[in-house]
Amino acid sequence: MTIAAGVALLGGTAIAAAGPAGAVDPTKGYAGICTGSDALTGVTIVVDFQELDGNGGVAAPTITRCSPNASPGTARTGIKALQDAGISIVGTIRWGFQAVCRIEGRPTATEDIPRNSNPTYHEACVNTPPGEAYWGYWYADGSGTTWTYSNSGATARNVIPGGFEGWSFSLNHTPTTNPPPEVTPRNPAIG
């Protein structure tokens, strides 16, 4: 897999404004795994900050949030599901939403990201984030306990109703050691 394939690609050209970690828009989606009428039509979003948690910035606990589908039965992309859950995303200046640069404001432009090749690296969101420090994109159908790393970007694949979409920060890992989110992707309504 190439570094570009490992970066979660997104469509569009606009760059969203970043909010601080934990500034999820409470008017969209709701905290926790999708339940009730959303259990089989919504998708659960998990954002795991991994090594970014407390890395010289504000500690950022894992976010688990339901992204209801306002039009059940219609397909939604991974980026649309993030937005429907109220999670802020920033693309890059050069590529817009072709690559996710920040989720919920992390990594910030001023925090050191201790890459093996550059221990004081700062992510400026100009170009695609490096393979040593980027948001990995994962998914699960909700029926099991394992995540699958997506080789497609978040606009190139549709979410699985009742499933999970995961974003996990990968720092100094290889394509085969990128960490999946540390939340079990199991939907109790599926079985």
Side-chain angles (χ1 to χ4, degrees):
M1 173 186 351
T2 67
I3 289 173
V7 174
L9 299 176
L10 302 175
T13 57
I15 297 176
V24 172
D25 182 346
T27 66
K28 297 179 179 178
Y30 54 87
I33 294 172
C34 293
T35 59
S37 62
D38 298 315
L40 299 177
T41 60
V43 65
T44 300
I45 305 293
V46 176
V47 177
D48 191 335
F49 294 87
Q50 299 284 353
E51 292 97 344
L52 282 180
D53 187 19
N55 176 38
V58 177
T62 299
I63 297 168
T64 302
R65 197 156 176 83
C66 180
S67 176
N69 189 343
S71 301
T74 60
R76 287 189 301 159
T77 64
I79 188 67
K80 177 72 171 131
L82 274 169
Q83 293 169 330
D84 289 346
I87 296 171
S88 70
I89 311 161
V90 174
T92 63
I93 292 170
R94 182 173 182 189
W95 301 108
F97 281 136
Q98 295 289 320
V100 171
C101 181
R102 300 191 209 295
I103 297 179
E104 284 301 308
R106 299 296 301 280
T108 69
T110 58
E111 73 183 279
D112 289 343
I113 302 172
R115 291 173 47 199
N116 288 337
S117 65
N118 180 353
T120 59
Y121 177 76
H122 291 180
E123 181 55 68
C125 295
V126 174
N127 291 303
T128 303
E132 288 179 312
Y134 73 96
W135 284 101
Y137 178 43
W138 301 78
Y139 65 92
D141 67 8
S143 68
T145 59
T146 59
W147 291 94
T148 300
Y149 186 81
S150 180
N151 288 318
S152 299
T155 58
R157 61 172 299 281
N158 290 326
V159 301
I160 301 167
F164 284 67
E165 291 280 293
W167 294 86
S168 179
F169 197 79
S170 179
L171 179 62
N172 298 317
H173 294 281
T174 67
T176 58
T177 65
N178 288 330
E182 293 179 355
V183 170
T184 301
R186 183 144 184 78
N187 180 339
I190 292 180

